[in-house]
Amino acid sequence: MCCHHAARRWRTCGVAVLIALAAGLASTPARADPSFALSWRERSGATACVTEAALRAVVKEKLGRDPFVDRERADIVIEGEEVSSGARLRARVRERRRDGVVLGSRDIDAETCPRLIRATGIVVALFARPPEEREPEVERGGESERTVDHGARPEERAERAETEPSARVIRIPPSTPRRRPSGKNVPEEPRRSPELSLGLGGSAAVGLLPSVSAATRAVARLELPSSRWSFEWSGGYSLPQSFATRTVHGTLSAVDQQLRVCLALTERRGIGIRIDACGGAFWGAVVPHAVGLRERDSSWRSLAGPVSALAVQLRDSARAARLELGMTAPVAGRDFYFDSTEGRPERLYSTGAVIGFLGVSGLFTIL
């Protein structure tokens, strides 16, 4: 009987001890997550890029909240600054405990200021995440490690792979175009083809006719895609000029055409300016219609030689205006004579050894 009562007392005591232990464990407060503070040393001057306000905005966007408290109440301080790195932009971020022990450090460099701000903000957001939000699985290789989230969407993993590696330097590669989705109903991107432009214009020439001549011109241009080379043809008709002496009178006009290859010395597509250096061949003819010339009336006197020009083109969508200055040196000049009252031949005029011209034309792209 005594043994029976003793066993009951032991069981009662054991139950009481278990209840007390459970109550004690339940009443023990859970370990609080560490608190964080942000301290960023901003550079002075025009070269400054990253600011604390910009970092806080990126962190808030990534975490959906502001995780920072005052530095006096923080368990961990995330501090950083911009560092000099030649032509590239670079920042350094450190995670430091209240007692001064450095928990980690990362260097980030990028090609542009907005990329550096975003990459640095993402690294700071990774430091400021509570333990339960951090990635549990880590792949290690050599001295670097990378946190991997297999449940994240592909674009999230790509973004983290770009900015989250704990290797010493994080590089932000230039953006690449997205792949077009595959499928029969997806239209293909149009391929850029050569552009053919036609236009009309006018020019003035010195050395072709007895005095400065004016001409109407037709122009055709072919510009190659993604190339500095272009091809151009132009043809002109110089308006007639009258002359008269005691024994000779009539008119002189001219026709010409030029075939040229042009190289763009500079091209700024954003504002539509292109400067070309052109070279090619010139062919022309002086067309006389006169009475009293020693040579046969109305016979063309041909001219041929190399041609060079410098042109400036202004483009607005499918329209363009083109201004050019050039010259040609005919292989052989032409002389025109008349009979004087004494019956001796005298020269009326000779074409110039160098013919210079200034032209302007308007173009419209048809293909």
Side-chain angles (χ1 to χ4, degrees):
M1 185 70 177
C2 292
C3 293
H4 178 70
H5 287 295
R8 291 183 59 186
R9 284 197 297 271
W10 280 109
R11 287 197 299 270
T12 302
C13 291
V15 172
V17 171
L18 292 176
I19 293 174
L21 288 175
L25 292 175
S27 60
T28 301
R31 182 175 62 87
D33 293 334
S35 55
F36 298 89
L38 178 62
S39 175
W40 188 263
R41 183 184 302 172
E42 298 183 5
R43 295 175 63 180
S44 58
T47 59
C49 176
V50 183
T51 63
E52 183 171 325
L55 287 183
R56 289 180 179 270
V58 175
V59 172
K60 187 174 181 180
E61 175 190 350
K62 297 299 295 182
L63 300 182
R65 57 185 176 83
D66 185 356
F68 302 116
V69 299
D70 295 336
R71 184 164 186 166
E72 294 75 13
R73 298 188 293 114
D75 299 316
I76 297 175
V77 177
I78 301 173
E79 56 188 14
E81 60 185 346
E82 286 187 62
V83 294
S84 300
S85 180
R88 294 183 66 85
L89 302 174
R90 177 171 294 181
R92 178 172 295 127
V93 180
R94 290 179 294 273
E95 190 178 19
R96 191 187 302 273
R97 270 191 345 209
R98 185 195 297 270
D99 56 7
V101 176
V102 176
L103 302 178
S105 176
R106 296 189 185 181
D107 289 348
I108 307 101
D109 76 355
E111 297 176 350
T112 63
C113 188
R115 286 181 175 273
L116 183 64
I117 293 174
R118 181 160 183 82
T120 306
I122 293 175
V123 171
V124 172
L126 293 174
F127 280 151
R129 283 181 178 177
E132 63 270 14
E133 293 184 10
R134 296 184 180 181
E135 310 301 338
E137 181 181 351
V138 175
E139 295 178 353
R140 298 184 180 270
E143 297 181 355
S144 65
E145 62 182 23
R146 185 189 297 259
T147 303
V148 179
D149 181 4
H150 293 293
R153 295 193 303 270
E155 57 269 22
E156 293 178 351
R157 289 203 299 268
E159 181 181 46
R160 291 174 184 172
E162 184 180 47
T163 57
E164 186 180 341
S166 55
R168 198 178 67 82
V169 177
I170 301 175
R171 297 190 181 275
I172 307 300
S175 59
T176 56
R178 295 182 178 179
R179 293 182 178 178
R180 291 194 307 109
S182 59
K184 296 182 179 179
N185 296 328
V186 178
E188 294 185 358
E189 296 181 359
R191 296 180 180 179
R192 189 180 176 189
S193 58
E195 293 183 355
L196 177 61
S197 301
L198 301 179
L200 296 174
S203 66
V206 177
L208 182 60
L209 295 180
S211 59
V212 177
S213 57
T216 58
R217 306 197 68 82
V219 183
R221 276 185 55 80
L222 182 67
E223 296 184 8
L224 301 180
S226 305
S227 174
R228 297 167 60 190
W229 294 99
S230 60
F231 301 90
E232 184 174 282
W233 171 89
S234 68
Y237 172 69
S238 297
L239 302 180
Q241 294 185 3
S242 300
F243 66 92
T245 67
R246 292 181 180 180
T247 57
V248 179
H249 62 89
T251 60
L252 292 170
S253 60
V255 293
D256 73 276
Q257 60 178 341
Q258 302 178 28
L259 184 62
R260 303 182 298 194
V261 178
C262 299
L263 175 65
L265 302 179
T266 180
E267 183 174 13
R268 299 184 179 181
R269 294 185 178 274
I271 55 179
I273 295 181
R274 174 183 176 128
I275 300 178
D276 285 331
C278 304
F282 167 92
W283 178 88
V286 178
V287 183
H289 182 72
V291 177
L293 291 178
R294 290 176 60 87
E295 300 184 34
R296 291 177 300 171
D297 290 349
S298 302
S299 59
W300 290 22
R301 312 320 189 243
S302 62
L303 302 167
V307 65
S308 62
L310 186 66
V312 178
Q313 178 173 290
L314 302 178
R315 177 174 290 277
D316 178 17
S317 185
R319 298 171 298 178
R322 193 169 177 86
L323 176 67
E324 60 184 34
L325 176 65
M327 56 178 285
T328 181
V331 175
R334 293 299 179 184
D335 297 320
F336 293 85
Y337 294 87
F338 66 93
D339 290 329
S340 67
T341 55
E342 293 81 10
R344 292 179 302 178
E346 294 186 11
R347 190 173 60 127
L348 177 64
Y349 95 102
S350 298
T351 56
V354 175
I355 300 174
F357 57 87
L358 174 67
V360 62
S361 58
L363 299 167
F364 187 81
T365 302
I366 62 172
L367 293 178

